[in-house]
Amino acid sequence: MKNLTTFIVLIFTFIFHTNCKSQQVNTVNKTTNKIIERKVDSVLALMTLQEKIGQMNQYASSWDVTGPPSNVSDNEKLEILKNGGVGSMLNVLSVKATREAQKLVMENSRLKIPLIFGYDVIHGYKTIFPTPLGESASWDLEIIKKSAAVAAKEAAAAGVHWTFAPMLDVSRDARWGRIMEGSGEDPYLTAKIGVARIQGLQGDDLANENTIAACAKHFAGYGFAEAGRDYNTVNIGEFELHNTILPPFKAAAEAGVATFMNSFNEIDGIPATGHKELQRTILKEGWNWDGFIVSDWGSIGEMIAHGYAKNKKHASEIAANAGSDMDMESYAYQNHLEQLVNEGKVDIKYIDDAVKRILRVKFRLGLFDDPYKYCNEEREQSEIYSKENQALAREVAKRSIVLLKNDSKLLPINKNIKSIAVIGPLADDKDTPIGNWRAQGMENSAVSVLEGIKNAISSNTKITYHKGGDLITSEIKEGENQFLLPITFNTTDQSDIPAAVKTAKNAEVVILAIGESAYQSGEGRSQVSIGFSGVQQELLKAVYKVNKNVIVVLMNGRPMDISWAAKNIPSILECWHLGSQSGNAIADVLFGDYNPSGKLPVSFPYNVGQEPLYYNHKNTGRPNNPVHVTYSGYTDSPKTALYPFGYGLSYTTFDYDNLKLNKTKISKNGEIEVSIEVSNIGKFDGEEVVQLYIRDMVGSITRPVKELKGFEKIAIKAGEKKTVTFIINAETLQFYTANKKWEVEPGDFNIWIGGDSNAPLKASFTVVE
């Protein structure tokens, strides 16, 4: 026994004190990888079956880990934790709490394998950036990467090792509440933004104290839930899965994302948590990805409700065999995996594979070198909510704003204007801009629209404010779970509207802040109505009746039905939920300190009946029947978007001209250079997102009417012209074909380049064998 103890000490002395820092999978050098693999194998060889299963078990913090447990269940958890029966904890926050939790393991367990602490850092930790959908409207990969890096730096300073982000679910349905957490309806844009976020979170070296492990979620199909109802059934075919849903996840795997999370939904009858084809065949084997997969909260146990597992033991068997490596809060692996292995129902090789993956990430984070490396009170004080972080939050926020309409050129507002009326239930709201999934964002901590306006202009301008009505959500008390609370709205009280109308009547311009509360979108926040709740529509019409100079500041988490406003209101700014510096960023755009450059990552409908709505749809057999025009549309609504994907105006005007291809015929492995001249013919310097779309005219499976295949955001001074060039090659043109593989098929292709998905400039080329 003494010899065994000496051997263990020697092995761990080697493991803990070898000086090597791991890097992302795509950048790590082979020598470092080999060293890490040797260490992983060394630890695995020392582990009992119970200790291996412990690494596959994740607890949420349901008690104060710095104090005594509060009940019997907590006592049991504490003992399991001390004995090495837990590999990860989530929602343990602060340096003090994570240090104490880590000490429980390091000072009591046999092998002293450090915990990995996870937390939902979705769009910032305490400094809050725009919600992910809003930030995606920037189409600015560098600024997105920077915001993720700040989120990682703040979270790491608070003791967090791992975030459950980014969400890579392509979604086409505005009814789905969780659309706010992704990057919209397009797989190409979602992939590019997802990789930027992963790079920002993980940096070049996961062992750096400013980086944390990222998690690509939800694998897969979650955004295609029927009728936009959260957690609902997903029915898609194999080709839709490979061509639309999986590409962002494949890009994440290739970018070296540390972890994946599987999704709640089923796909064609098989819950994703128990989907072996997805997790083992495609992700781990096909893509050669070596991180670990964590279940979503309780999703292993939820396979019982799906009717796919008889009980938790059966669910554990299915999930472990399918490739789900870590159980988040089902307590299924903890209670049943050992018996399943002993009964031969789960092969020990699957347990070993899961544990190696988990240990590998812990080594790459540097936790074996120093389990307390993220526990630094000085960094916790200096890095979180700093002035530098707030400055970046403002920069990201203003770049995420989309100018939807500016017919009367009300914008930008002259700072010498004599009077402004600021009206609306969201005008002086300091909480809604923080949005849902706000991590440690403080309640009522955002700069409101009213505050931002006051900060931007002098006292010579008279600013009058009136709320005009309430947008009421159920009050969330401390300790309550926001996901479990219903939302209620004051839908009838219009008593405040007359006073708001009086305020609006005498102002030179009205800024009307309306939209959605922070908790109208997010998990469990699906809606059948995506218009203005409460009395906002009545307020909008009443104000417009007495003053036509209305600028709508739209604050929301999803695409909305704003069809009346789009038809009548002269100026509309899409401002999403922009985070901590929301009001200042909105004022930057309102008064022309920043020329808006955002583009929509989702289509805006005329009405909810069009949902799901997306630009990259397929044609029917009667796409434009001149006799029966409603065959592929509606009798009572347009079939097109009110505002299409990629759309966004500027205070200046951009002209596209001289679309050129350097050749019109290539082989399947050849490439074409495409160029376009973009001129700023307006009076303001500005930025434009130049977008490339392609259509494969005939395929072995039907192809979308067009697909985004490239974009570049460029700054152009007034009067200046720039040439933008794209390269089209096999990677651009390949898709998952009827041969069930990724390949380029010969045939004719159309391309379009412009400022949105309705780009008019068109050219063609041919691919030959």
Side-chain angles (χ1 to χ4, degrees), residues 627-690:
V627 179
H628 301 286
V629 293
T630 60
Y631 274 4
S632 58
Y634 304 97
T635 60
D636 58 351
S637 171
K639 68 177 182 180
T640 55
L642 173 64
Y643 294 114
F645 174 85
Y647 175 85
L649 301 176
S650 170
Y651 293 154
T652 193
T653 302
F654 297 106
D655 180 67
Y656 287 78
D657 192 26
N658 204 15
L659 173 58
K660 289 181 178 180
L661 281 64
N662 70 336
K663 61 186 78 168
T664 57
K665 186 176 290 186
I666 59 169
S667 68
K668 290 198 289 185
N669 293 318
E671 68 176 35
I672 291 178
E673 183 178 287
V674 185
S675 63
I676 188 84
E677 291 179 353
V678 185
S679 303
N680 183 344
I681 59 174
K683 298 179 180 179
F684 296 87
D685 297 345
E687 295 166 279
E688 174 70 332
V689 180
V690 183

Side-chain angles (χ1 to χ4, degrees), residues 68-84:
S70 58
N71 55 50
V72 175
S73 176
D74 289 346
N75 267 314
E76 292 173 355
K77 287 182 179 179
L78 184 62
E79 289 307 308
I80 292 170
L81 194 63
K82 287 180 177 180
N83 291 326

Side-chain angles (χ1 to χ4, degrees), residues 707-718:
E707 298 174 282
L708 180 70
K709 290 295 183 178
F711 65 89
E712 186 175 342
K713 189 164 190 174
I714 57 172
I716 313 181
K717 294 184 179 298

Side-chain angles (χ1 to χ4, degrees), residues 55 65-66 81-82 86-89 92 94-109 112-117 159 161 362 366-368 370-375:
Q55 288 301 300
V65 294
T66 64
L81 194 63
K82 287 180 177 180
V86 180
S88 173
M89 294 189 73
V92 181
S94 81
V95 164
K96 180 182 179 183
T98 54
R99 179 187 287 112
E100 291 302 313
Q102 196 73 281
K103 282 172 66 177
L104 290 173
V105 174
M106 301 308 295
E107 295 180 1
N108 295 283
S109 66
K112 308 184 188 309
I113 299 174
L115 293 167
I116 178 173
F117 295 108
H161 308 148
K362 292 183 178 185
L367 294 175
F368 278 94
D370 180 5
Y372 305 104
K373 63 173 291 189
Y374 288 79
C375 299

Side-chain angles (χ1 to χ4, degrees), residues 680-701:
N680 183 344
I681 59 174
K683 298 179 180 179
F684 296 87
D685 297 345
E687 295 166 279
E688 174 70 332
V689 180
V690 183
Q691 302 163 44
L692 168 71
Y693 295 87
I694 296 181
R695 181 179 181 186
D696 187 345
M697 301 304 294
V698 177
S700 59
I701 62 168

Side-chain angles (χ1 to χ4, degrees), residues 560-576:
M560 293 184 67
D561 173 359
I562 58 169
S563 50
W564 189 90
K567 182 179 179 181
N568 295 280
I569 302 301
S571 294
I572 304 173
L573 280 177
E574 170 54 84
C575 295
W576 316 103

